[in-house]
Amino acid sequence: MQILIYSYNYHPEPIGIAPLMTELAEGLVKKGHQVRVITGMPNYPQREIYEEYRGKWYVTEEKNGVTIQRCYLRIKSKPNLIDRLLLELSFVFTSLPQALNGWRPDVILLTVPPLLVSLPATFLGWFYNCPVVLNLQDILPEAAIRTGLLKNKFMIRALEVLEKFAYKKAHTISVIADGFVKNLVNKKVPIDKIACIPNWVDVNFIRPLPNKAKNWKAIHKLENKFVALYSGNIALTQGLETVIETAASLSHIPDIAFVIAGESKALKRLQKHCLACGANNVLLLPLQPREKLPEMLAAADVGLVVQKRNVISFNMPSKIPLLLASGSPIIASVPASGTAARAVRQSGGGVVVSPESPQDLAAGIMSLYSNPDLAKKLGEKARNFAIERYSFEQALTAYEAVFYQAISRKVPGILPALEKKLGLRS
């Protein structure tokens, strides 16, 4: 197959959808497929174009057999609503020439967010006579509304119309959690149009590493500490203040330390909250290089997953498979009826506590701190579940099957008619 991946984020961006799409693209190449990726200039999570890509409209690269076609983005480090809209629009308009500059795809995989990119992807699917598979990482605009990011009624209505358009025009919608399926079915999306393929983890890369974990702890002066770790994106859906307030409530226990690894600008805000709360047992670290990620995760005596109480069925933290694969037990401070809670309970590798409750999060941490045997048992279950349910090979096979099925049922577009008219096709 010739597969076009339309993804706003891609390598070398270190977190979020970028590593996943990079692994998927390279995995498809190893399976013998041709893959090209339409993406923006790398900017995440700093929201600043990486230095080597600044001042450029288009860049084409090749990495591990994947053709990467990058385009200009209009981006601001501290965006307001208009800036976010202009960012998405810049990607819509600058990405289309790149998508047309290359071989004709058999199938297009589009990752959302951003939602506006469904417009050029739909056009390309029609023009090339190929199916579009819509991959939902978050359900928009619902996520933006629930987190308070989007309040303008006109904008909300416009995005709801766009959401409906994207679902209608996509051949298949791949979602990353079963809660997403229920959300879409409630919006009258046909169940046979939905494929649930969880985000994956490379279980050979992320795994228990007791010796390297000790070294990591030693480097960061955490020897003999019980480490509660949060690593990843620091966004409106999380509410990391809960973790800091929990740390402050446990500061009388010198053996317990908290580590938060995230984007530097967000850490400055959290540092102020640490000072305000008297949380002197919190180590704030910048996002770790990918090669250091396995040992940092393995160094966690407990991995933290945190969400606000209004995050129900439109967000699935990608850190859950990573923590499970590392063999770290999870404490999830998340809504009990939400997608994240179901994933943690299903794994058997963690405990779910009330969201935005420092008292409940502290109690969960203490339950594992005071019971090492329970922590070990949960960690073993976590690792086994990751191998069984979140392996990359399973996800790669599932995406291949979705692509082949979509191609076998594609509908006519403009390009075959033009080719026949020009005598290029009989």
Side-chain angles (χ1 to χ4, degrees):
M1 283 184 288
Q2 292 183 315
I3 303 164
L4 181 68
I5 296 179
Y6 224 116
S7 178
Y8 173 81
N9 299 105
Y10 195 77
H11 173 86
E13 294 166 311
I15 60 173
I17 189 62
L20 290 169
M21 286 300 108
T22 304
E23 289 172 0
L24 178 61
E26 294 178 358
L28 288 166
V29 167
K30 288 179 181 177
K31 285 264 196 171
H33 305 293
Q34 284 185 272
V35 181
R36 62 186 179 104
V37 174
I38 307 301
T39 188
M41 300 297 177
N43 64 87
Y44 195 71
Q46 298 90 343
R47 296 185 178 87
E48 294 178 355
I49 303 296
Y50 291 12
E51 186 175 354
E52 60 268 37
Y53 294 92
R54 290 176 190 166
K56 299 178 180 179
W57 277 88
Y58 293 109
V59 173
T60 298
E61 306 168 319
E62 185 162 317
K63 181 179 182 292
N64 296 333
V66 179
T67 300
I68 308 165
Q69 296 172 274
R70 302 188 185 276
C71 58
Y72 168 82
L73 298 174
R74 190 266 188 193
I75 192 164
K76 298 289 184 181
S77 59
K78 295 181 180 180
N80 56 31
L81 185 60
I82 298 299
D83 289 327
R84 292 177 187 275
L85 177 60
L86 290 174
L87 169 60
E88 291 196 22
L89 286 172
S90 70
F91 186 52
V92 166
F93 286 109
T94 62
S95 64
L96 189 56
Q98 284 285 59
L100 293 168
N101 181 26
W103 41 253
R104 171 188 171 188
D106 297 310
V107 63
I108 297 170
L109 176 66
L110 168 67
T111 65
V112 169
L115 190 56
L116 275 173
V117 186
S118 61
L119 296 175
T122 299
F123 166 77
L124 290 165
W126 172 70
F127 182 78
Y128 282 128
N129 184 30
C130 71
V132 175
V133 176
L134 181 65
N135 173 244
L136 289 185
Q137 293 292 321
D138 288 306
I139 295 180
L140 298 175
E142 195 168 338
I145 296 168
R146 291 284 191 90
T147 56
L149 184 64
L150 187 60
K151 298 178 181 178
N152 183 286
K153 291 183 179 180
F154 174 79
M155 188 73 74
I156 290 171
R157 178 57 185 155
L159 288 175
E160 286 174 344
V161 170
L162 182 59
E163 178 190 24
K164 187 176 180 179
F165 169 84
Y167 295 164
K168 181 180 179 180
K169 294 300 181 181
H171 179 282
T172 304
I173 303 170
S174 70
V175 298
I176 61 175
D178 54 1
F180 286 30
V181 176
K182 183 178 180 181
N183 188 297
L184 295 189
V185 169
N186 287 340
K187 294 173 180 174
K188 305 199 177 343
V189 176
I191 187 68
D192 60 358
K193 195 173 186 175
I194 306 170
C196 187
I197 308 175
N199 283 344
W200 57 89
V201 59
D202 184 342
V203 295
N204 296 316
F205 178 61
I206 304 294
R207 65 190 193 279
L209 297 167
N211 291 331
K212 289 189 176 181
K214 287 181 181 178
N215 292 337
W216 193 91
K217 281 188 173 184
I219 290 169
H220 294 91
K221 298 181 172 57
L222 296 169
E223 302 101 319
N224 303 317
K225 297 283 189 181
F226 182 91
V227 173
L229 170 73
Y230 178 91
S231 173
N233 191 26
I234 300 174
L236 291 174
T237 53
Q238 278 99 31
L240 267 293
E241 291 79 7
T242 298
V243 174
I244 291 170
E245 290 161 21
T246 301
S249 72
L250 296 176
S251 59
H252 63 286
I253 305 176
D255 289 345
I256 298 179
F258 289 75
V259 176
I260 299 176
E263 193 265 316
S264 298
K265 290 182 180 178
L267 293 179
K268 291 179 181 178
R269 173 174 54 82
L270 295 181
Q271 177 66 50
K272 292 179 181 178
H273 200 61
C274 286
L275 293 172
C277 295
N280 56 7
N281 54 347
V282 179
L283 175 63
L284 301 175
L285 295 175
L287 287 170
Q288 300 294 285
R290 180 169 171 75
E291 62 271 14
K292 295 292 183 183
L293 184 61
E295 56 194 77
M296 180 181 71
L297 294 176
D301 294 284
V302 60
L304 303 179
V305 177
V306 189
Q307 290 180 328
K308 290 186 176 180
R309 63 174 61 94
N310 58 356
V311 180
I312 305 296
S313 60
F314 54 80
N315 177 269
M316 171 64 179
S318 58
K319 63 179 59 61
I320 290 178
L322 292 170
L323 290 169
L324 293 173
S326 73
S328 298
I330 293 174
I331 296 183
S333 172
V334 299
S337 60
T339 300
R342 284 196 294 275
V344 172
R345 283 196 294 262
Q346 189 179 27
S347 74
V351 177
V352 177
V353 301
S354 300
E356 298 185 67
S357 172
Q359 296 81 10
D360 288 353
L361 182 54
I365 291 171
M366 286 302 299
S367 70
L368 298 187
Y369 169 71
S370 59
N371 193 339
D373 290 339
L374 174 60
K376 181 180 179 182
K377 183 179 179 181
L378 291 177
E380 290 172 349
K381 286 186 176 181
R383 173 66 183 174
N384 291 334
F385 189 83
I387 293 171
E388 292 171 6
R389 295 292 297 275
Y390 289 123
S391 75
F392 175 53
E393 289 73 20
Q394 287 176 313
L396 185 60
T397 299
Y399 272 106
E400 267 194 309
V402 165
F403 294 158
Y404 278 125
Q405 183 184 45
I407 290 170
S408 69
R409 296 164 56 189
K410 67 183 179 181
V411 296
I414 189 172
L415 191 59
L418 287 175
E419 290 176 341
K420 186 173 183 179
K421 187 174 181 180
L422 294 171
L424 301 175
R425 176 182 293 204
S426 58

